[in-house]
């Protein structure tokens, strides 16, 4: 045997031995997670792990419980994710090994959660019993809770280990400081009637709560907490009869493009534009139905909008320079969610009733790929790991 | 848990062709798609009431939660909504017969959706 062959045999042997020790080595080649994501398959309580480069499904993680209205936040390692189920299940998954790391039942009825600035705390927002619960992100040990006696909506992380959220039944914005996670310190601010969702601006400074019970949005400036929450876009309906709202809009898909924020109007088939410097309304764009998600492509040139039943088969694209709808698509029977790839060359759309996820090129609006998924709803890419409010 | 087909067998397949429900003395002659109606309730009503109908932003719509209410009252709420709350009026999207059918099924415990 030549020396070279011996060397090679030895190398191969070492690889085999190394892999035998690292049990997962055989199934999981060494790779990053920057182009991975999770698609919720709500019908059968599982999630699909997807690759946005290959546009393919890598595998599934089963056993996550009731995933209707489920949401996901990522650990800052971009490898672990926390899935919040409707049944109050909180599951930490490893998307590389495609398995559940830990799972706890934390409440009776929950809709989502958030992760702290330093990545050490995961917080769940609950309808029943109302309130937030604080968990150690590593172990999912319960550290503390803040009871609210109201359904909690719009939980979002803010700088300084703080979390903002809104109380649907009490009409308040609460800001909880978890610097000491076992001793939460909460400030409460009157906001307006029936806040239905909330968001934090990309810089973490402002917390906004959309109001259902009255026209307008409550705005809280965390740099001026003494000023409390004030109302913006007041009376945007100007006394007109509201159209029925068959699905609550979501605000978390925060859309800021240039200096404007794009927000769904309630009970009107319009997207509202607000100047983020003055917080004044600067325009309205008529759209096809009641907007649900209004999301900006990462470069801000486009804003994509999907709609409530019965218009949920449509998606419209606003050109932010022209200030109007430039494209109307019919990607499927019930488009529940949209997610842009990290730099926005493509958008993934979940078509619930077609049991499919469709990938569109955002420049040409052509469909690049259709992937099978059972009753897909939320799509969450790992690029969220580094974004405040996601 | 009962499924749609079991339930159809129980109430009679003719529901599909011509619902025999009467509201305000008027017999509804148009049909609605039972399967689509079950899907609508689970998926679209479910966006507020939860897909399991155990409540969300909207109140629970389980048999236990609705016990004691009449189907007629619930049908009116479904068609006209509840002013001042997030419950929207569905009358532009469904017939009275369909609302009545949903109300009756809710009171019995709503059937599960059939996955294609």
């Amino acid at each position: 045997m030549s020396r070279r062959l011996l060397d090679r045999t030895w190398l191969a042997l070492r690889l085999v031995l190394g892999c035998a020790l690292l049990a997962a080595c055989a199934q999981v080649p060494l790779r990053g997670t920057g182009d991975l994501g999770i698609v919720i398959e709500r019908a059968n309580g599982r999630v699909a792990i997807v690759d946005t480069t290959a546009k393919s499904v890598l595998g599934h993680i089963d056993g996550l419980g009731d995933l209707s209205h489920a949401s996901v936040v990522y650990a800052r390692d971009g490898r672990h994710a926390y899935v919040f189920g409707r049944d109050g299940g909180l599951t930490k998954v490893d998307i590389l090994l495609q398995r559940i790391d830990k799972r706890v039942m934390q409440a009776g009825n929950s809709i989502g959660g958030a992760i702290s600035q330093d990545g050490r705390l995961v917080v769940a927002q609950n309808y029943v019993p109302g309130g937030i619960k604080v968990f150690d992100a590593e172990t999912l040990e319960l550290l503390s809770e803040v009871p609210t006696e109201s359904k909690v909506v719009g939980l979002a992380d803010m700088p300084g280990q703080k979390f903002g959220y809104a109380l649907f039944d009490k009409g308040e914005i609460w800001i909880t400081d978890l610097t000491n996670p076992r001793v939460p310190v909460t400030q409460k601010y009157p906001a307006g009637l029936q806040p239905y969702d909330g968001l934090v601006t990309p810089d973490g400074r402002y917390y906004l709560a959309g109001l259902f019970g009255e026209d307008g949005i409550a705005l809280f400036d965390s740099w001026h907490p003494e000023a409390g929450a004030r109302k913006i876009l007041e009376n945007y309906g100007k006394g007109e009869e509201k159209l029925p709202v068959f699905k609550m809009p979501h605000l978390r898909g925060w859309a800021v493009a240039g200096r404007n924020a794009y927000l769904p109007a309630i009970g009107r088939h319009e997207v509202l534009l607000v100047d983020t410097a003055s917080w004044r309304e600067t325009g309205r764009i008529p759209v096809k139905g009641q907007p649900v998600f209004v999301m900006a492509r990462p470069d801000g040139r486009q804003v994509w909008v999907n709609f409530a039943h019965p218009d949920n088969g449509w998606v419209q694209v606003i050109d932010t320079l022209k200030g109007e709808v430039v494209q109307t698509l019919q990607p499927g029977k019930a488009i529940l969610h949209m997610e842009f790839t990290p730099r926005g060359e493509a958008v993934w759309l979940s078509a619930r009733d077609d049991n499919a996820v469709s990938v569109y090129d955002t420049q040409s609006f052509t469909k690049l790929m259709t992937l099978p998924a059972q009753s897909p709803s939320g799509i969450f890419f790992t690029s969220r790991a580094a974004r405040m409010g996601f | 848990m009962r499924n749609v087909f079991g339930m159809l067998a129980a109430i009679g397949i003719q529901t599909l062709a011509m619902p025999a429900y009467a509201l305000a003395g008027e017999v509804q002659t148009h049909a609605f798609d039972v399967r689509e109606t079950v899907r609508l309730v689970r998926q679209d009503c479910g966006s507020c009431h939860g897909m399991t109908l155990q409540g969300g932003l909207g109140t629970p719509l389980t048999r236990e939660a609705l016990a004691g209410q009449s189907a007629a009252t619930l049908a009116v709420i479904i068609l006209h909504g509840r002013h001042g709350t997030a419950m929207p009026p569905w009358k532009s999207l469904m017939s009275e017969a369909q609302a009545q059918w949903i109300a009756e099924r809710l009171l019995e415990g709503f059937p599960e959706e059939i996955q294609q």
Side-chain angles (χ1 to χ4, degrees):
Chain A
M1 222 189 266
S2 76
R3 179 69 210 250
R4 208 169 136 180
L5 192 63
L6 252 176
D7 274 356
R8 283 209 186 159
T9 316
W10 177 228
L11 183 70
L13 202 68
R14 268 165 50 197
L15 276 175
V16 170
L17 281 173
C19 272
L21 289 175
L22 260 172
C25 194
Q27 312 97 289
V28 186
L30 197 58
R31 65 161 297 160
T33 62
D35 55 357
L36 299 186
I38 287 176
V39 176
I40 304 284
E41 296 191 41
R42 68 189 207 176
N44 41 16
R46 69 175 191 181
V47 297
I49 310 299
V50 295
D51 177 332
T52 59
T53 305
K55 300 182 194 65
S56 65
V57 177
L58 297 180
H60 297 92
I61 304 174
D62 287 280
L64 300 182
D66 178 1
L67 291 186
S68 55
H69 210 297
S71 66
V72 171
V73 298
Y74 282 96
R76 54 204 262 176
D77 63 10
R79 167 173 174 178
H80 296 93
Y82 302 89
V83 183
F84 300 88
R86 187 57 174 264
D87 54 3
L90 164 58
T91 314
K92 182 181 181 186
V93 298
D94 179 330
I95 62 171
L96 279 184
L97 296 182
Q98 298 174 16
R99 66 170 194 210
I100 293 177
D101 269 3
K102 290 206 170 57
R103 178 168 162 81
V104 293
M105 289 303 287
Q106 59 89 21
N109 195 331
S110 165
I111 54 156
I115 188 160
S116 63
Q117 185 176 33
D118 69 359
R120 289 170 189 233
L121 306 173
V122 169
V123 181
Q125 59 177 342
N126 294 320
Y127 279 162
V128 183
I132 63 166
K133 285 191 177 179
V134 183
F135 298 88
D136 180 306
E138 191 58 44
T139 63
L140 297 191
E141 179 202 350
L142 179 65
L143 300 177
S144 58
E145 6 186 341
V146 181
T148 55
E149 283 144 19
S150 161
K151 295 180 195 94
V152 174
V153 298
L155 178 72
D157 56 297
M158 297 177 78
Q161 294 293 92
K162 292 192 174 106
F163 288 85
Y165 48 102
L167 274 49
F168 180 78
D169 310 288
K170 284 191 178 166
E172 290 175 347
I173 291 173
W174 286 18
I175 308 287
T176 295
D177 185 334
L178 293 172
T179 306
N180 180 347
R182 292 191 187 269
V183 186
V185 178
T186 303
Q187 305 293 329
K188 306 169 183 179
Y189 307 94
L193 287 178
Q194 294 174 326
Y196 63 89
D197 199 6
L199 64 85
V200 64
T201 50
D203 57 7
R205 175 171 171 180
Y206 296 98
Y207 181 84
L208 281 79
L211 302 175
F212 182 82
E214 59 184 301
D215 288 342
I217 286 177
L219 173 78
F220 172 77
D221 180 354
S222 67
W223 293 10
H224 292 289
E226 71 288 350
R230 69 184 164 103
K231 231 163 275 170
I232 60 167
L233 295 178
E234 245 175 311
N235 310 318
Y236 63 75
K238 293 197 192 88
E240 289 169 44
E241 190 61 30
K242 267 192 203 171
L243 299 168
V245 178
F246 295 111
K247 182 173 184 175
M248 285 291 180
H250 285 259
L251 292 179
R252 187 171 279 225
W254 168 248
V256 196
R259 52 186 291 164
N260 283 318
Y262 293 73
L263 298 161
I266 285 276
R268 305 179 63 86
H269 295 178
E270 287 173 346
V271 169
L272 307 173
L273 268 72
V274 197
D275 181 321
T276 54
S278 66
W279 293 107
R280 290 218 172 80
E281 182 181 330
T282 48
R284 292 170 187 212
I285 299 169
V287 289
K288 210 164 174 57
Q290 164 68 57
V292 174
F293 281 100
V294 176
M295 301 178 113
R297 196 172 67 176
D299 67 343
R301 180 63 197 267
Q302 292 178 352
V303 168
W304 288 56
V305 188
N306 74 340
F307 304 101
H309 183 86
D311 299 309
N312 59 7
W314 303 92
V315 167
Q316 288 192 308
V317 184
I318 294 167
D319 180 319
T320 54
L321 193 62
K322 295 189 179 128
E324 61 185 41
V325 170
V326 291
Q327 189 65 227
T328 300
L329 301 167
Q330 248 185 314
K333 266 188 284 186
I335 305 301
L336 290 197
H337 198 217
M338 312 179 280
E339 178 87 331
F340 292 97
T341 50
R343 300 191 191 195
E345 82 290 351
V347 64
W348 288 45
L349 306 169
S350 51
R352 182 193 68 205
D353 294 353
D354 296 324
N355 292 315
V357 169
S358 293
V359 184
Y360 277 77
D361 182 308
T362 60
Q363 207 61 47
S364 66
F365 305 110
T366 51
K367 196 194 277 190
L368 301 173
M369 182 69 85
T370 302
L371 299 168
Q374 283 299 311
S375 217
S377 58
I379 307 175
F380 305 88
F381 294 158
T382 53
S383 43
R384 290 173 174 248
R387 296 179 70 187
M388 198 131 21
F390 285 82
Chain B
M1 240 175 262
R2 305 164 74 187
N3 65 30
V4 178
F5 292 131
M7 192 193 59
L8 280 182
I11 62 174
I13 290 291
Q14 84 276 10
T15 307
L16 264 177
M18 198 182 98
Y21 303 104
L23 261 178
E26 176 196 35
V27 177
Q28 298 291 312
T29 48
H30 54 273
F32 55 87
D33 186 329
V34 168
R35 192 189 187 110
E36 278 306 312
T37 305
V38 171
R39 170 176 285 260
L40 172 89
V41 172
R42 289 272 166 203
Q43 301 287 343
D44 296 301
C45 310
S47 78
C48 285
H49 292 282
M51 253 166 71
T52 57
L53 304 179
Q54 292 180 27
L57 214 53
T59 44
L61 298 181
T62 53
R63 190 172 61 154
E64 300 73 38
L66 297 176
Q69 303 220 51
S70 76
T73 311
L74 296 183
V76 168
I77 295 173
I78 294 168
L79 288 170
H80 301 283
R82 265 218 184 131
H83 202 73
T85 79
M87 175 63 190
W90 291 82
K91 61 180 186 297
S92 58
L93 299 177
M94 67 173 69
S95 64
E96 290 185 359
Q98 203 174 356
Q100 178 74 17
W101 186 87
I102 293 171
E104 286 168 8
R105 301 294 83 72
L106 286 172
L107 286 171
E108 303 171 349
F110 204 77
E112 293 294 320
E113 203 181 324
I114 294 287
Q115 296 296 326
Q116 283 103 325

